[in-house]
Amino acid sequence: NNSSSNNIPPLSPPSSLSNLNNFCPFISAAERAKLRLFQDQFDNDIFPKVRMYIMNTDMTQEDGLKKDCLNALSLLQSLLLKSTGTTSSPAFFLGQDHFTIADAHIVPFVMRWIIQLSHLKNYNLRKECEFQPLVMWYDSCLGRQSVKVATNISDETIMKAHYQKVNLLALASQQKHNK
């Protein structure tokens, strides 16, 4: 299994540490902690509330769930703004000029939420003035080629996946009820 026999050069470490820093910027322990705490807060405080509102079909709960959803989106936006030290247009998380794992973690959710809220709840997140910093952050993430490629999915495909999930959840609930 000799790499010279198939003309593939062996991997070598970067020639200098500065080149490595340009490729993969190191962040401090405090910044890593902020990233982990942000992701935990997103997973536990923000995502569930937005998901509950999007998945809701009980109109008696609609207003309360919408309020919880909008509060969760406000929290997300305030965390992004706080992390960058600005009050209007967040850069990437932590105010860095580079994309962080926190950005990569939430971009796919925000993409789906923009589409699902519009299609299912007639709520256009992009047009809501109170969420313009969140939309600006999302658009700055979309400016990255890797994000463009990863999120190049049509609204129809996202909604089809949503309805498939809803149908699977309904089927599972029905099967559980029948047992």
Side-chain angles (χ1 to χ4, degrees):
N1 210 351
N2 188 341
S3 64
S4 62
S5 65
N6 56 13
N7 295 327
I8 299 174
L11 292 176
S12 58
S15 58
S16 72
L17 188 56
S18 66
N19 287 344
L20 179 60
N21 282 333
N22 291 336
F23 174 72
C24 181
F26 292 107
I27 59 174
S28 70
E31 288 173 327
R32 284 193 306 275
K34 286 180 187 177
L35 288 169
R36 287 191 302 272
L37 289 170
F38 171 78
Q39 290 174 288
D40 183 67
Q41 191 164 18
F42 178 84
D43 292 343
N44 294 302
D45 299 334
I46 297 168
F47 170 77
K49 292 177 181 170
V50 178
R51 182 175 184 266
M52 287 290 291
Y53 176 59
I54 288 171
M55 299 296 285
N56 180 54
T57 58
D58 180 355
M59 294 312 289
T60 63
Q61 296 182 358
E62 190 76 2
D63 290 339
L65 292 174
K66 181 177 183 178
K67 182 179 177 187
D68 290 347
C69 172
L70 296 180
N71 287 339
L73 290 171
S74 291
L75 174 60
L76 172 60
Q77 180 172 269
S78 70
L79 290 170
L80 287 168
L81 290 170
K82 182 179 174 186
S83 80
T84 62
T86 182
T87 58
S88 60
S89 61
F92 298 123
F93 189 74
L94 296 176
Q96 303 292 325
D97 59 356
H98 58 271
F99 196 62
T100 67
I101 191 71
D103 299 302
H105 181 83
I106 62 175
V107 162
F109 293 103
V110 174
M111 176 194 69
R112 288 191 304 267
W113 293 345
I114 288 171
I115 294 165
Q116 291 171 330
L117 287 168
S118 177
H119 284 264
L120 299 170
K121 304 297 183 178
N122 199 27
Y123 186 84
N124 190 333
L125 193 61
R126 286 190 166 281
K127 291 186 178 177
E128 293 299 322
C129 293
E130 69 181 292
F131 293 115
Q132 285 312 298
L134 177 60
V135 171
M136 291 169 66
W137 164 84
Y138 175 70
D139 288 341
S140 70
C141 291
L142 285 181
R144 292 183 47 86
Q145 185 61 31
S146 60
V147 175
K148 284 181 194 173
V149 170
T151 60
N152 187 17
I153 304 168
S154 70
D155 289 13
E156 292 76 26
T157 301
I158 288 181
M159 291 311 299
K160 182 179 177 182
H162 169 80
Y163 288 119
Q164 287 173 341
K165 184 173 188 165
V166 167
N167 290 338
L168 287 172
L169 290 172
L171 180 62
S173 176
Q174 184 180 23
Q175 288 174 345
K176 182 180 177 182
H177 181 70
N178 290 338
K179 285 185 176 183

